[in-house]
Amino acid sequence: MKKILVTGGAGYIGSCTVIELHKAGYTPVIVDNFSNSDKSVMARLEKVLGFSPKLYAIDCNDKEKLDAVFELENDIAGVIHFAAHKAVGESVQKPNMYYYNNVNSLLVLLDVMQKHGVKNIVFSSSCTVYGQPDALPVTEETPEKTAESPYGFTKQICERILKDQKQTGQNFFKTVLLRYFNPVGAHESGIIGELPLGVPNNLVPYIALVASGKLPMLTVFGDDYNTPDGSCIRDYIHVCDLALAHIQSLQWLDKAPENACEVFNIGVGKGETVLGCIHTFEKVNGVKVPLKIGARRSGDIEKIYADNQKALQELGWKPKYTLADAMQSVWKWQQFIDEQIHNKKP
Ligand code: UDP
């Protein structure tokens, strides 16, 4: 069983990927400092997997400790690097925290990987690198725009760092950069999903909290965009489909030539409006989501969705879940966390 180090493996996408790794016959080893995840995820992962995955509760910026992990786990076949700060608004308030953490941790990781002869890396990038594109859907060739936030810029910098490894002439790293569109949904078990600390910024966890009565009302940020119902358009991808793309990326890397470094869009390839998402949630779950129309959120782009042909053809990846499936799974997960997690907190 090939051992895969998963940085940020206790987080939302990381924990779902740990499950998929196990299903695909890999041994996941988690590195996570729990800066944006709840420790209860480990017990829940154990329930789903039937065993407790190996965990190192360390910060990826700590070179000595990361080096010790690679020393102890001496046969790591590849790394999936999720660990990063990801809140756009916070990154505007605390840019240096984002640059130190997101950029530095990648540099530390690359050093340690090279020292230990680990070549394969799958990196979590984001469609945020495209900004508001001039034409839709976006392909991997669509030019990047100036990043709207320090968070977005860290993704552009990290992509560049990984692409630059090709120019060193060392033929060392083999890299897949996955540009995620909007990950939503929860694992079918209903016990693994997104657990935002505090009030969420993202649409879908906010919808679920309003539906469960924990928040009074959802504000739709603008209904005067140039879209069919006036609200923004995004490409919402089920987190389990997204998780699977990482497994297929690892398999792709095994066959890839020396020095390979490829970018793939991971989205369903179809746009949905904010109001469309809310209506889908209400319809599949039979619950109302009280809402009001508010002002546009600063920095929001009007519309974006992926051309995912490259991932379909080269990775052999295909999303199987619909937005309705995702919304159903989110509601199941919300009910679980209301009962098991929120009620237990003081
Ligand atoms: N959105 C909204 N109300 C909210 C949160 C988000 O109307 O409370 C909208 C937001 O303006 C955007 C879409 O939902 O058009 C997705 O936002 P999210 O923050 O989830 O993702 P991102 O902006 O990164 O695509």
Side-chain angles (χ1 to χ4, degrees):
M1 301 242 287
K2 279 189 177 168
K3 202 182 274 180
I4 304 297
L5 194 87
V6 189
T7 76
Y12 172 42
I13 308 170
S15 55
C16 293
T17 303
V18 163
I19 296 171
E20 294 301 333
L21 278 168
H22 172 66
K23 270 208 275 190
Y26 292 92
T27 302
V29 174
I30 298 174
V31 165
D32 203 300
N33 67 353
F34 294 96
S35 66
N36 191 30
S37 50
D38 191 289
K39 290 207 166 105
S40 68
V41 70
M42 295 310 298
R44 290 182 278 111
L45 272 176
E46 183 175 355
K47 231 180 200 166
V48 175
L49 296 171
F51 67 95
S52 183
K54 191 82 139 312
L55 164 73
Y56 292 92
I58 63 157
D59 189 325
C60 289
N61 290 285
D62 188 330
K63 201 174 201 170
E64 251 173 59
K65 287 193 179 144
L66 196 62
D67 184 55
V69 172
F70 277 74
E71 198 73 51
L72 278 165
E73 304 288 339
N74 60 11
D75 52 350
I76 293 168
V79 176
I80 306 178
H81 185 42
F82 292 107
H85 293 322
K86 62 173 187 178
V88 174
E90 183 186 49
S91 78
V92 176
Q93 300 303 317
K94 301 176 184 168
N96 296 3
M97 183 173 114
Y98 274 67
Y99 295 124
Y100 272 121
N101 187 62
N102 293 7
V103 179
N104 187 59
S105 65
L106 175 65
L107 292 171
V108 169
L109 177 65
L110 291 179
D111 274 356
V112 175
M113 285 175 69
Q114 191 151 16
K115 179 175 166 197
H116 291 271
V118 180
K119 284 174 171 279
N120 293 355
I121 175 165
V122 181
F123 178 74
S124 304
S125 189
S126 163
C127 67
T128 190
V129 302
Y130 296 116
Q132 175 61 69
D134 298 327
L136 289 170
V138 283
T139 74
E140 290 79 359
E141 305 306 318
T142 297
E144 289 175 18
K145 291 274 174 73
T146 304
E148 291 276 352
S149 68
Y151 162 75
F153 193 34
T154 66
K155 291 297 172 194
Q156 290 180 338
I157 299 170
C158 288
E159 280 205 8
R160 177 65 195 266
I161 289 170
L162 286 160
K163 288 173 189 163
D164 283 350
Q165 306 308 306
K166 261 183 113 150
Q167 318 303 329
T168 62
Q170 290 184 26
N171 276 352
F172 187 78
F173 291 104
K174 297 201 324 187
T175 309
V176 165
L177 303 160
L178 296 182
R179 289 184 180 154
Y180 307 160
F181 282 67
N182 287 53
V184 291
H187 185 255
E188 60 188 12
S189 62
I191 64 169
I192 296 287
E194 187 170 16
L195 196 56
L197 301 177
V199 178
N201 295 309
N202 293 115
L203 177 65
V204 175
Y206 208 105
I207 292 176
L209 277 171
V210 172
S212 81
K214 296 260 181 297
L215 290 170
M217 182 163 301
L218 176 82
T219 303
V220 174
F221 298 139
D223 70 346
D224 55 352
Y225 287 100
N226 182 24
T227 63
D229 62 24
S231 62
C232 290
I233 290 180
R234 297 286 184 276
D235 180 327
Y236 295 92
I237 174 80
H238 195 295
V239 68
C240 293
D241 280 329
L242 175 56
L244 210 54
H246 296 78
I247 315 308
Q248 278 151 336
S249 298
L250 289 170
Q251 290 161 352
W252 183 90
L253 282 170
D254 280 340
K255 290 184 234 132
E258 289 303 314
N259 235 0
C261 179
E262 284 294 330
V263 178
F264 296 95
N265 282 340
I266 305 295
V268 291
K270 193 176 151 285
E272 183 56 86
T273 64
V274 174
L275 289 166
C277 277
I278 299 164
H279 295 146
T280 302
F281 183 96
E282 291 184 320
K283 191 165 155 218
V284 296
N285 297 314
V287 281
K288 278 305 282 175
V289 179
L291 65 84
K292 65 173 194 255
I293 305 296
R296 291 181 175 200
R297 181 171 70 177
S298 121
D300 262 345
I301 58 165
E302 182 170 271
K303 49 189 157 194
I304 188 165
Y305 51 93
D307 178 328
N308 61 10
Q309 284 306 309
K310 189 176 173 192
L312 263 59
Q313 283 162 17
E314 292 187 33
L315 295 180
W317 172 80
K318 195 169 180 224
K320 63 176 186 208
Y321 294 104
T322 62
L323 183 62
D325 296 331
M327 293 307 198
Q328 244 171 351
S329 68
V330 162
W331 187 225
K332 186 173 167 189
W333 163 242
Q334 182 63 44
Q335 288 166 305
F336 171 79
I337 56 180
D338 282 350
E339 265 171 39
Q340 301 289 317
I341 299 177
H342 290 151
N343 290 349
K344 279 193 190 149
K345 285 194 170 159

